[in-house]
Amino acid sequence: MQSQNLHQLVADQNSFFNTNSSKEIGFRIKQLKLLKSILKANEEAMNAAIYADFKKSKFDTFTNELALLYLDIDEAISKVRKWSKRKRVRTNMINFPAKSFIYPEPLGTCLVIGAWNYPIQLSFAPVIAAIAAGNTVVLKPSEVPSATSEIIAKMINDNFDASFFHVVEGGVEVTTNLLELKWDKIFFTGSVNVGKIVYKAAAQNLTPVTLELGGKSPAFITKSCNLDVAVKRLVWGKFLNAGQTCIAPDYVMVDASIKDEFLEKLKQRIIEMDFAFKNENYVQIINDKNYQRLKEMIDEEKLYYQGDFDESNRYFPPVIMHDVTFEDDVMQEEIFGPILPVITYDNISEAISAVKKLPKPLACYVFTGQRSVKHRIIDELSFGGGAVNDAIMHIVNSNLPFGGVGNSGIGNYHGKAGFDTFSHQKSVLDKATWLDPSIKYPPYSLKKLKIIRWIMGV
Ligand code: NAD
């Protein structure tokens, strides 16, 4: 889309927003229902597109992409009335007689920029929150899975009025043009580097941003954990979507006393699950560039186990590296693929301080049977969110706000948190007129000061 047309699109959305139609609860619910019906009607087309892009199976497309969206839409429909109600709060003595309220109000015209790894879910989850909160939306899905981007644009642009919700396809150039426009909110999912570009562009107009970024998320395997369960859940979480998951366990910190047993069980589990890393059960690496980037991360000297490579189909097998240190190449950037480096520690204090030296991760997983260890890791490490004795699954609970901290992001969403992310909390003091104490008006005196201090209790 030409930059001139983008200007017009935003102007049209601003005009529509100013009619107040998108604020009506009935309108919001109707649009959410429409979105759900469009998604349902286009499931086959989405399956085909996402399979063409990186061979994601129907099962994965439903469970990792669509199921979460259907749950989000249903929750928003059933709770939007409650979420958007003004909330009465206490009024302090100094303002007597008055009532105080918080009105959640939509921000206006919002830009949502998606990432490629879960291209449907990461595009629509923020959109659902934006619509529920009463905004208008322009969505720019990732251009990398091109067939998926195309079907997203077709589904939406054929069924929604562009002045309310529109999809703009494109890569860096289009996104750059979009970022030059004035938005009321920008919601970005993607890498730390592009997150900085988005933040800088938003600053020009003081536009509020949510940045859902990535990073290196650790998994602690402690000596008190149920190792069999830990290994099963870790393997599932790491190799889901071939490791191309923002909250995948990036690397393992394992207690030295169980290192050998852990590595052996890990290898056995991967061998046992071999069928899951082949053909229609597995996901391709998104493109050749990433395939090569991942291959270069493998240090042959530290290789513990690797499955079979199928480069022509861009299938990258699970790879385990051991005796890894924080200085190794594989520890210098987010892996975003099925390579699992294992670092050994002698005591938990040492492990925590080593992880603390890295930027704050998006997720952290603690496998342990010991309460004190669990609490130490949760209390002492800063991370976006995570799980105890599991991986990934915290994302599925919409009562848990999802987002990063520090380098892994700004802000959060899902469920009510998503609604709040796309709302402004407007505070209003509603004062009665039957009493207007003269104390706040001049002339001031020591007596008045005394009364003020008495009211305040200082
Ligand atoms: P990316 O930053 O390359 O791209 C994200 C979006 O930004 C795309 O829509 C792309 O078109 C646009 N973009 C790319 N370069 C740009 C530029 N120079 N200027 C303006 N826009 C630009 O990220 P990606 O490769 O799609 O996704 C992978 C990253 O996203 C990983 O770091 C991963 O951890 C992170 N991620 C985070 C979450 C989360 O919820 N926190 C979810 C998925 C992925």
Side-chain angles (χ1 to χ4, degrees), residues 113-117 122 140-143 170-172 175-176 179 188-192 194 197 212-215 246 334 336 362 402 408 413:
I113 302 172
W116 60 259
N117 56 328
L122 294 172
K140 207 298 287 177
S142 172
E143 74 286 11
V172 177
T175 318
T176 305
L179 288 172
F188 171 80
T189 305
S191 60
V192 173
V194 181
I197 295 173
E212 295 284 341
L213 311 177
C246 56
E334 181 181 5
F336 223 54
L362 182 58
F402 180 83
S408 54
Y413 72 133

mmCIF file of all heavy atoms in Angstrom, residues 113-117 122 140-143 170-172 175-176 179 188-192 194 197 212-215 246 334 336 362 402 408 413, ligand 1:
data_model
loop_
_atom_site.group_PDB
_atom_site.id
_atom_site.type_symbol
_atom_site.label_atom_id
_atom_site.label_comp_id
_atom_site.label_asym_id
_atom_site.label_seq_id
_atom_site.Cartn_x
_atom_site.Cartn_y
_atom_site.Cartn_z
ATOM 1 N N ILE A 113 1.631 -4.987 14.986
ATOM 2 C CA ILE A 113 2.646 -5.561 14.081
ATOM 3 C C ILE A 113 2.970 -6.966 14.589
ATOM 4 O O ILE A 113 3.349 -7.142 15.757
ATOM 5 C CB ILE A 113 3.929 -4.701 14.063
ATOM 6 C CG1 ILE A 113 3.602 -3.258 13.638
ATOM 7 C CG2 ILE A 113 4.980 -5.306 13.125
ATOM 8 C CD1 ILE A 113 4.787 -2.291 13.785
ATOM 9 N N GLY A 114 2.826 -7.974 13.713
ATOM 10 C CA GLY A 114 2.994 -9.370 14.137
ATOM 11 C C GLY A 114 4.347 -9.959 13.777
ATOM 12 O O GLY A 114 5.090 -9.429 12.950
ATOM 13 N N ALA A 115 4.665 -11.081 14.426
ATOM 14 C CA ALA A 115 5.893 -11.841 14.139
ATOM 15 C C ALA A 115 5.531 -13.095 13.344
ATOM 16 O O ALA A 115 4.353 -13.446 13.219
ATOM 17 C CB ALA A 115 6.573 -12.226 15.454
ATOM 18 N N TRP A 116 6.530 -13.809 12.831
ATOM 19 C CA TRP A 116 6.233 -14.904 11.901
ATOM 20 C C TRP A 116 6.008 -16.257 12.553
ATOM 21 O O TRP A 116 5.448 -17.160 11.949
ATOM 22 C CB TRP A 116 7.332 -15.052 10.837
ATOM 23 C CG TRP A 116 8.712 -15.346 11.376
ATOM 24 C CD1 TRP A 116 9.725 -14.456 11.537
ATOM 25 C CD2 TRP A 116 9.223 -16.611 11.831
ATOM 26 N NE1 TRP A 116 10.831 -15.076 12.076
ATOM 27 C CE2 TRP A 116 10.548 -16.408 12.262
ATOM 28 C CE3 TRP A 116 8.697 -17.908 11.919
ATOM 29 C CZ2 TRP A 116 11.349 -17.422 12.763
ATOM 30 C CZ3 TRP A 116 9.497 -18.922 12.431
ATOM 31 C CH2 TRP A 116 10.796 -18.678 12.840
ATOM 32 N N ASN A 117 6.490 -16.461 13.792
ATOM 33 C CA ASN A 117 6.569 -17.841 14.297
ATOM 34 C C ASN A 117 5.226 -18.476 14.642
ATOM 35 O O ASN A 117 5.064 -19.678 14.504
ATOM 36 C CB ASN A 117 7.568 -17.937 15.454
ATOM 37 C CG ASN A 117 7.271 -16.997 16.586
ATOM 38 O OD1 ASN A 117 6.752 -15.905 16.376
ATOM 39 N ND2 ASN A 117 7.592 -17.406 17.787
ATOM 40 N N LEU A 122 -0.306 -14.635 16.813
ATOM 41 C CA LEU A 122 0.342 -13.387 17.229
ATOM 42 C C LEU A 122 -0.229 -12.164 16.521
ATOM 43 O O LEU A 122 -0.065 -11.041 16.980
ATOM 44 C CB LEU A 122 1.857 -13.474 16.995
ATOM 45 C CG LEU A 122 2.584 -14.496 17.864
ATOM 46 C CD1 LEU A 122 4.034 -14.642 17.424
ATOM 47 C CD2 LEU A 122 2.507 -14.135 19.338
ATOM 48 N N LYS A 140 -0.548 -5.354 10.735
ATOM 49 C CA LYS A 140 0.504 -5.657 9.753
ATOM 50 C C LYS A 140 1.108 -6.994 10.174
ATOM 51 O O LYS A 140 1.964 -7.067 11.056
ATOM 52 C CB LYS A 140 1.560 -4.533 9.788
ATOM 53 C CG LYS A 140 2.325 -4.313 8.497
ATOM 54 C CD LYS A 140 3.137 -5.480 8.043
ATOM 55 C CE LYS A 140 4.368 -5.688 8.895
ATOM 56 N NZ LYS A 140 5.148 -6.881 8.501
ATOM 57 N N PRO A 141 0.635 -8.104 9.543
ATOM 58 C CA PRO A 141 1.206 -9.406 9.919
ATOM 59 C C PRO A 141 2.629 -9.536 9.379
ATOM 60 O O PRO A 141 3.025 -8.768 8.500
ATOM 61 C CB PRO A 141 0.275 -10.414 9.227
ATOM 62 C CG PRO A 141 -0.512 -9.660 8.227
ATOM 63 C CD PRO A 141 -0.333 -8.189 8.449
ATOM 64 N N SER A 142 3.361 -10.513 9.893
ATOM 65 C CA SER A 142 4.714 -10.726 9.357
ATOM 66 C C SER A 142 4.620 -11.136 7.904
ATOM 67 O O SER A 142 3.782 -11.959 7.514
ATOM 68 C CB SER A 142 5.431 -11.819 10.152
ATOM 69 O OG SER A 142 6.637 -12.140 9.507
ATOM 70 N N GLU A 143 5.525 -10.594 7.101
ATOM 71 C CA GLU A 143 5.571 -10.918 5.669
ATOM 72 C C GLU A 143 6.310 -12.230 5.414
ATOM 73 O O GLU A 143 6.264 -12.774 4.308
ATOM 74 C CB GLU A 143 6.255 -9.775 4.895
ATOM 75 C CG GLU A 143 7.787 -9.665 5.049
ATOM 76 C CD GLU A 143 8.267 -9.117 6.401
ATOM 77 O OE1 GLU A 143 7.451 -9.002 7.335
ATOM 78 O OE2 GLU A 143 9.475 -8.819 6.511
ATOM 79 N N GLY A 170 3.110 -6.413 4.113
ATOM 80 C CA GLY A 170 4.374 -5.846 3.673
ATOM 81 C C GLY A 170 5.499 -6.134 4.636
ATOM 82 O O GLY A 170 5.279 -6.674 5.721
ATOM 83 N N GLY A 171 6.713 -5.725 4.207
ATOM 84 C CA GLY A 171 7.909 -5.972 5.017
ATOM 85 C C GLY A 171 8.427 -4.694 5.635
ATOM 86 O O GLY A 171 7.647 -3.827 6.065
ATOM 87 N N VAL A 172 9.752 -4.562 5.617
ATOM 88 C CA VAL A 172 10.391 -3.445 6.317
ATOM 89 C C VAL A 172 9.901 -2.090 5.788
ATOM 90 O O VAL A 172 9.571 -1.187 6.564
ATOM 91 C CB VAL A 172 11.930 -3.540 6.171
ATOM 92 C CG1 VAL A 172 12.618 -2.350 6.822
ATOM 93 C CG2 VAL A 172 12.436 -4.835 6.790
ATOM 94 N N THR A 175 6.348 -1.347 6.875
ATOM 95 C CA THR A 175 6.304 -1.123 8.331
ATOM 96 C C THR A 175 6.918 0.230 8.669
ATOM 97 O O THR A 175 6.408 0.958 9.532
ATOM 98 C CB THR A 175 7.038 -2.255 9.089
ATOM 99 O OG1 THR A 175 6.700 -3.492 8.473
ATOM 100 C CG2 THR A 175 6.634 -2.311 10.535
ATOM 101 N N THR A 176 7.990 0.580 7.966
ATOM 102 C CA THR A 176 8.619 1.883 8.204
ATOM 103 C C THR A 176 7.626 2.998 7.895
ATOM 104 O O THR A 176 7.493 3.965 8.659
ATOM 105 C CB THR A 176 9.890 2.023 7.324
ATOM 106 O OG1 THR A 176 10.718 0.898 7.600
ATOM 107 C CG2 THR A 176 10.646 3.298 7.617
ATOM 108 N N LEU A 179 5.061 3.194 10.600
ATOM 109 C CA LEU A 179 5.582 3.748 11.853
ATOM 110 C C LEU A 179 5.739 5.268 11.801
ATOM 111 O O LEU A 179 5.861 5.923 12.834
ATOM 112 C CB LEU A 179 6.925 3.095 12.208
ATOM 113 C CG LEU A 179 6.842 1.642 12.679
ATOM 114 C CD1 LEU A 179 8.231 1.036 12.818
ATOM 115 C CD2 LEU A 179 6.087 1.536 14.008
ATOM 116 N N PHE A 188 3.644 -4.234 19.264
ATOM 117 C CA PHE A 188 4.624 -4.905 18.411
ATOM 118 C C PHE A 188 5.051 -6.238 19.005
ATOM 119 O O PHE A 188 5.383 -6.328 20.186
ATOM 120 C CB PHE A 188 5.858 -4.004 18.261
ATOM 121 C CG PHE A 188 7.022 -4.684 17.579
ATOM 122 C CD1 PHE A 188 7.077 -4.806 16.195
ATOM 123 C CD2 PHE A 188 8.068 -5.221 18.331
ATOM 124 C CE1 PHE A 188 8.148 -5.455 15.579
ATOM 125 C CE2 PHE A 188 9.138 -5.871 17.718
ATOM 126 C CZ PHE A 188 9.174 -5.977 16.334
ATOM 127 N N THR A 189 5.085 -7.276 18.188
ATOM 128 C CA THR A 189 5.676 -8.554 18.579
ATOM 129 C C THR A 189 6.837 -8.833 17.640
ATOM 130 O O THR A 189 6.652 -8.800 16.408
ATOM 131 C CB THR A 189 4.656 -9.705 18.482
ATOM 132 O OG1 THR A 189 3.514 -9.369 19.251
ATOM 133 C CG2 THR A 189 5.240 -11.005 19.015
ATOM 134 N N GLY A 190 8.003 -9.116 18.177
ATOM 135 C CA GLY A 190 9.150 -9.412 17.310
ATOM 136 C C GLY A 190 10.455 -9.344 18.073
ATOM 137 O O GLY A 190 10.496 -9.523 19.293
ATOM 138 N N SER A 191 11.516 -9.048 17.326
ATOM 139 C CA SER A 191 12.856 -9.115 17.920
ATOM 140 C C SER A 191 13.194 -7.852 18.706
ATOM 141 O O SER A 191 12.588 -6.793 18.513
ATOM 142 C CB SER A 191 13.879 -9.315 16.799
ATOM 143 O OG SER A 191 13.795 -8.218 15.911
ATOM 144 N N VAL A 192 14.202 -7.969 19.550
ATOM 145 C CA VAL A 192 14.644 -6.839 20.375
ATOM 146 C C VAL A 192 15.107 -5.687 19.474
ATOM 147 O O VAL A 192 14.751 -4.525 19.703
ATOM 148 C CB VAL A 192 15.780 -7.294 21.331
ATOM 149 C CG1 VAL A 192 16.367 -6.115 22.083
ATOM 150 C CG2 VAL A 192 15.263 -8.352 22.302
ATOM 151 N N VAL A 194 14.323 -4.844 16.332
ATOM 152 C CA VAL A 194 13.234 -4.117 15.660
ATOM 153 C C VAL A 194 12.356 -3.429 16.718
ATOM 154 O O VAL A 194 11.844 -2.333 16.480
ATOM 155 C CB VAL A 194 12.418 -5.045 14.720
ATOM 156 C CG1 VAL A 194 11.316 -4.266 14.035
ATOM 157 C CG2 VAL A 194 13.330 -5.689 13.679
ATOM 158 N N ILE A 197 13.544 -0.045 17.129
ATOM 159 C CA ILE A 197 13.145 0.840 16.007
ATOM 160 C C ILE A 197 11.712 1.329 16.240
ATOM 161 O O ILE A 197 11.400 2.509 16.076
ATOM 162 C CB ILE A 197 13.257 0.076 14.661
ATOM 163 C CG1 ILE A 197 14.719 -0.284 14.377
ATOM 164 C CG2 ILE A 197 12.649 0.875 13.522
ATOM 165 C CD1 ILE A 197 14.934 -1.191 13.166
ATOM 166 N N GLU A 212 6.383 -6.863 22.659
ATOM 167 C CA GLU A 212 6.471 -8.283 23.038
ATOM 168 C C GLU A 212 7.707 -8.831 22.338
ATOM 169 O O GLU A 212 7.668 -9.155 21.147
ATOM 170 C CB GLU A 212 5.197 -9.032 22.588
ATOM 171 C CG GLU A 212 3.931 -8.573 23.286
ATOM 172 C CD GLU A 212 3.811 -9.094 24.725
ATOM 173 O OE1 GLU A 212 4.491 -10.073 25.076
ATOM 174 O OE2 GLU A 212 3.036 -8.500 25.493
ATOM 175 N N LEU A 213 8.806 -8.930 23.068
ATOM 176 C CA LEU A 213 10.088 -9.284 22.434
ATOM 177 C C LEU A 213 10.542 -10.684 22.849
ATOM 178 O O LEU A 213 9.730 -11.469 23.320
ATOM 179 C CB LEU A 213 11.125 -8.220 22.800
ATOM 180 C CG LEU A 213 10.661 -6.762 22.591
ATOM 181 C CD1 LEU A 213 11.716 -5.780 23.046
ATOM 182 C CD2 LEU A 213 10.276 -6.501 21.134
ATOM 183 N N GLY A 214 11.802 -10.969 22.685
ATOM 184 C CA GLY A 214 12.274 -12.333 22.971
ATOM 185 C C GLY A 214 13.423 -12.343 23.955
ATOM 186 O O GLY A 214 13.495 -11.497 24.845
ATOM 187 N N GLY A 215 14.319 -13.284 23.789
ATOM 188 C CA GLY A 215 15.473 -13.382 24.682
ATOM 189 C C GLY A 215 15.813 -14.828 24.969
ATOM 190 O O GLY A 215 15.227 -15.739 24.378
ATOM 191 N N CYS A 246 8.840 -17.963 21.153
ATOM 192 C CA CYS A 246 9.493 -16.906 21.950
ATOM 193 C C CYS A 246 9.722 -17.327 23.387
ATOM 194 O O CYS A 246 10.679 -16.902 24.021
ATOM 195 C CB CYS A 246 8.672 -15.633 21.903
ATOM 196 S SG CYS A 246 6.981 -15.886 22.442
ATOM 197 N N GLU A 334 19.536 -15.300 21.119
ATOM 198 C CA GLU A 334 18.377 -16.187 21.253
ATOM 199 C C GLU A 334 18.486 -17.263 20.171
ATOM 200 O O GLU A 334 18.737 -16.951 19.009
ATOM 201 C CB GLU A 334 17.112 -15.345 21.040
ATOM 202 C CG GLU A 334 15.826 -16.114 21.159
ATOM 203 C CD GLU A 334 14.604 -15.209 20.898
ATOM 204 O OE1 GLU A 334 14.782 -14.035 20.535
ATOM 205 O OE2 GLU A 334 13.485 -15.708 21.052
ATOM 206 N N PHE A 336 16.136 -19.685 19.050
ATOM 207 C CA PHE A 336 14.942 -19.702 18.194
ATOM 208 C C PHE A 336 14.965 -20.873 17.212
ATOM 209 O O PHE A 336 14.681 -20.756 16.025
ATOM 210 C CB PHE A 336 14.819 -18.372 17.430
ATOM 211 C CG PHE A 336 13.410 -17.859 17.412
ATOM 212 C CD1 PHE A 336 12.698 -17.688 18.577
ATOM 213 C CD2 PHE A 336 12.782 -17.554 16.210
ATOM 214 C CE1 PHE A 336 11.385 -17.229 18.568
ATOM 215 C CE2 PHE A 336 11.471 -17.088 16.187
ATOM 216 C CZ PHE A 336 10.777 -16.925 17.375
ATOM 217 N N LEU A 362 12.301 -13.520 28.719
ATOM 218 C CA LEU A 362 10.847 -13.486 28.573
ATOM 219 C C LEU A 362 10.206 -14.556 29.462
ATOM 220 O O LEU A 362 9.126 -14.361 29.992
ATOM 221 C CB LEU A 362 10.489 -13.728 27.097
ATOM 222 C CG LEU A 362 9.022 -13.677 26.719
ATOM 223 C CD1 LEU A 362 8.411 -12.330 27.072
ATOM 224 C CD2 LEU A 362 8.844 -13.955 25.232
ATOM 225 N N PHE A 402 0.580 -11.672 30.020
ATOM 226 C CA PHE A 402 1.721 -12.209 29.274
ATOM 227 C C PHE A 402 2.560 -11.066 28.706
ATOM 228 O O PHE A 402 2.056 -10.222 27.966
ATOM 229 C CB PHE A 402 1.223 -13.105 28.126
ATOM 230 C CG PHE A 402 2.339 -13.691 27.321
ATOM 231 C CD1 PHE A 402 2.984 -14.837 27.749
ATOM 232 C CD2 PHE A 402 2.788 -13.066 26.161
ATOM 233 C CE1 PHE A 402 4.049 -15.360 27.024
ATOM 234 C CE2 PHE A 402 3.846 -13.584 25.432
ATOM 235 C CZ PHE A 402 4.475 -14.736 25.864
ATOM 236 N N SER A 408 13.217 -8.105 27.346
ATOM 237 C CA SER A 408 12.235 -9.011 26.734
ATOM 238 C C SER A 408 10.885 -8.337 26.498
ATOM 239 O O SER A 408 9.969 -8.969 25.971
ATOM 240 C CB SER A 408 12.077 -10.298 27.561
ATOM 241 O OG SER A 408 11.764 -10.033 28.900
ATOM 242 N N TYR A 413 -0.319 -8.587 27.867
ATOM 243 C CA TYR A 413 -1.682 -8.754 27.368
ATOM 244 C C TYR A 413 -2.200 -10.143 27.703
ATOM 245 O O TYR A 413 -1.629 -10.817 28.558
ATOM 246 C CB TYR A 413 -1.794 -8.410 25.890
ATOM 247 C CG TYR A 413 -1.181 -9.363 24.865
ATOM 248 C CD1 TYR A 413 -1.916 -9.740 23.738
ATOM 249 C CD2 TYR A 413 0.109 -9.852 24.980
ATOM 250 C CE1 TYR A 413 -1.382 -10.562 22.758
ATOM 251 C CE2 TYR A 413 0.655 -10.685 24.005
ATOM 252 C CZ TYR A 413 -0.097 -11.035 22.899
ATOM 253 O OH TYR A 413 0.432 -11.851 21.939
HETATM 254 P P1 NAD B 1 11.231 -9.323 13.578
HETATM 255 O O1 NAD B 1 11.543 -8.288 14.615
HETATM 256 O O2 NAD B 1 12.222 -9.586 12.536
HETATM 257 O O3 NAD B 1 9.872 -8.933 12.816
HETATM 258 C C1 NAD B 1 8.701 -8.571 13.490
HETATM 259 C C2 NAD B 1 7.924 -7.588 12.651
HETATM 260 O O4 NAD B 1 8.687 -6.405 12.433
HETATM 261 C C3 NAD B 1 7.526 -8.110 11.264
HETATM 262 O O5 NAD B 1 6.174 -7.780 11.021
HETATM 263 C C4 NAD B 1 8.462 -7.385 10.316
HETATM 264 O O6 NAD B 1 7.875 -7.087 9.091
HETATM 265 C C5 NAD B 1 8.768 -6.087 11.046
HETATM 266 N N1 NAD B 1 10.119 -5.604 10.786
HETATM 267 C C6 NAD B 1 11.243 -6.340 10.561
HETATM 268 N N2 NAD B 1 12.313 -5.536 10.392
HETATM 269 C C7 NAD B 1 11.858 -4.253 10.505
HETATM 270 C C8 NAD B 1 12.478 -2.971 10.414
HETATM 271 N N3 NAD B 1 13.774 -2.848 10.167
HETATM 272 N N4 NAD B 1 11.708 -1.880 10.576
HETATM 273 C C9 NAD B 1 10.389 -1.992 10.822
HETATM 274 N N5 NAD B 1 9.752 -3.196 10.908
HETATM 275 C C10 NAD B 1 10.463 -4.300 10.741
HETATM 276 O O7 NAD B 1 10.846 -10.630 14.412
HETATM 277 P P2 NAD B 1 10.484 -12.063 13.852
HETATM 278 O O8 NAD B 1 11.690 -12.648 13.199
HETATM 279 O O9 NAD B 1 9.223 -12.015 13.093
HETATM 280 O O10 NAD B 1 10.182 -12.855 15.200
HETATM 281 C C11 NAD B 1 11.171 -13.430 15.976
HETATM 282 C C12 NAD B 1 11.425 -12.653 17.248
HETATM 283 O O11 NAD B 1 10.197 -12.305 17.855
HETATM 284 C C13 NAD B 1 12.148 -13.467 18.293
HETATM 285 O O12 NAD B 1 13.080 -12.644 18.963
HETATM 286 C C14 NAD B 1 11.059 -13.898 19.253
HETATM 287 O O13 NAD B 1 11.494 -14.193 20.543
HETATM 288 C C15 NAD B 1 10.170 -12.711 19.214
HETATM 289 N N6 NAD B 1 8.815 -13.093 19.557
HETATM 290 C C16 NAD B 1 8.277 -12.623 20.707
HETATM 291 C C17 NAD B 1 7.002 -12.997 21.080
HETATM 292 C C18 NAD B 1 6.372 -12.515 22.346
HETATM 293 O O14 NAD B 1 5.174 -12.739 22.524
HETATM 294 N N7 NAD B 1 7.078 -11.858 23.232
HETATM 295 C C19 NAD B 1 6.276 -13.860 20.259
HETATM 296 C C20 NAD B 1 6.859 -14.321 19.088
HETATM 297 C C21 NAD B 1 8.126 -13.919 18.742
#
